[in-house]
Amino acid sequence: GLGNVTADAIVQQQEMTVSGEENVPAAEQVSAAQGADGAPAAQEPPTDTRAAAADGAPKEGSNQDTTAVPAAVDEGTKEEPAGGEASAESAAPPSDEKTAEPEAPARVESSFRLPEIDAEFDVWLKGQLDASPADAKDTEDFRYLTFSELPPFTDLHKSLMRKTMTPELFAKLKDVKTSKGYTLSNGMQAGVLRPHLGVGFTAGDEESFELFKEVIYPIVEGWHKFNPETQEHKSDLDPSKVVMSDEQ
């Protein structure tokens, strides 16, 4: 009856005063506690804010389950190696192919021409030129020959090289080469193509004097009357020892 409603209102007013909600009308409290159809509104379970730290880790004494749940892996989305390359386990075995040999020097177009010496000798010399491989030292106006045999010298060849070079010595040194690529044929070429030369042999680098000394030393002795094998060159630059005649 009316008396009961009044008594309930008094009790409710007292509860509002204790909870600090004395300014909220009773009707609003009732509507907040009920849904639109009059049924009690669903309430979320109370959250213990003490259970989680700022970084999301549970605080001591919390009942929060900290067991990590592994993320599901989709077999179709596994990460492949960058660039689609196979993994190290599936990489192809190293190739057994040998390292390619360095290519031979390309032949240089040259204006080089052989001299005319003797008809028969010229034919031999032309054959040697045609058979000679390209040389890295070749230029546009000069070619190095590689003699396959001891040249058939003519009576016109007067050089000390021609006198020194025997078939045995040629066979011994024909394949010798310095670290810079200078060969016995390179050294002989001057005396073979220019019969009038007195020496007839050139040293392409310092190493030539040692590798081809069996040719060079006899030439030096024949030209300078000095034997590099047994003698030592001595220099005296004192001008007071120079003796000159009156005519000089």
Side-chain angles (χ1 to χ4, degrees):
L2 181 59
N4 292 335
V5 174
T6 305
D8 292 340
I10 295 173
V11 173
Q12 190 174 17
Q13 181 66 30
Q14 292 174 347
E15 291 175 352
M16 291 172 59
T17 303
V18 173
S19 64
E21 298 178 352
E22 56 183 349
N23 296 327
V24 181
E28 292 185 12
Q29 294 188 36
V30 173
S31 63
Q34 295 179 345
D37 56 358
Q43 297 183 4
E44 295 181 0
T47 301
D48 185 2
T49 57
R50 299 171 301 170
D55 57 359
K59 288 186 177 181
E60 184 177 358
S62 170
N63 293 326
Q64 183 177 348
D65 185 5
T66 60
T67 303
V69 179
V73 178
D74 185 354
E75 292 296 331
T77 60
K78 288 183 178 180
E79 184 178 356
E80 294 293 336
E85 297 176 357
S87 62
E89 291 79 2
S90 62
S95 173
D96 293 333
E97 294 183 3
K98 295 182 179 180
T99 303
E101 296 292 333
E103 296 183 0
R107 187 175 297 281
V108 178
E109 291 296 330
S110 176
S111 60
F112 177 76
R113 296 291 182 269
L114 292 172
E116 293 183 2
I117 302 172
D118 174 86
E120 187 176 347
F121 185 82
D122 292 349
V123 172
W124 176 88
L125 195 58
K126 177 66 165 55
Q128 294 291 304
L129 175 63
D130 294 342
S132 294
D135 193 305
K137 302 185 296 296
D138 289 344
T139 65
E140 294 181 357
D141 56 3
F142 189 86
R143 279 194 58 190
Y144 281 95
L145 278 68
T146 299
F147 301 122
S148 61
E149 60 184 356
L150 181 68
F153 295 111
T154 69
D155 292 339
L156 299 174
H157 289 88
K158 306 294 185 181
S159 69
L160 290 171
M161 179 274 297
R162 184 257 171 109
K163 296 178 180 179
T164 302
M165 189 64 62
T166 64
E168 295 76 20
L169 188 57
F170 178 86
K172 178 181 180 180
L173 300 176
K174 70 182 182 68
D175 296 323
V176 175
K177 181 184 296 187
T178 70
S179 58
K180 292 182 174 63
Y182 204 77
T183 67
L184 178 69
S185 292
N186 296 161
M188 293 173 57
Q189 184 164 330
V192 174
L193 271 61
R194 300 289 183 267
H196 66 280
L197 294 179
V199 172
F201 193 89
T202 59
D205 51 33
E206 183 178 359
E207 195 175 352
S208 298
F209 288 95
E210 178 61 29
L211 294 181
F212 305 122
K213 66 181 180 180
E214 292 175 84
V215 180
I216 295 176
Y217 283 9
I219 292 175
V220 171
E221 184 174 13
W223 192 263
H224 296 285
K225 309 302 185 223
F226 171 82
N227 187 348
E229 192 74 53
T230 60
Q231 293 177 280
E232 181 179 352
H233 181 74
K234 297 180 180 180
S235 298
D236 188 350
L237 302 180
D238 184 355
S240 63
K241 296 181 180 180
V242 177
V243 178
M244 294 185 294
S245 64
D246 296 336
E247 291 78 9
Q248 292 175 322

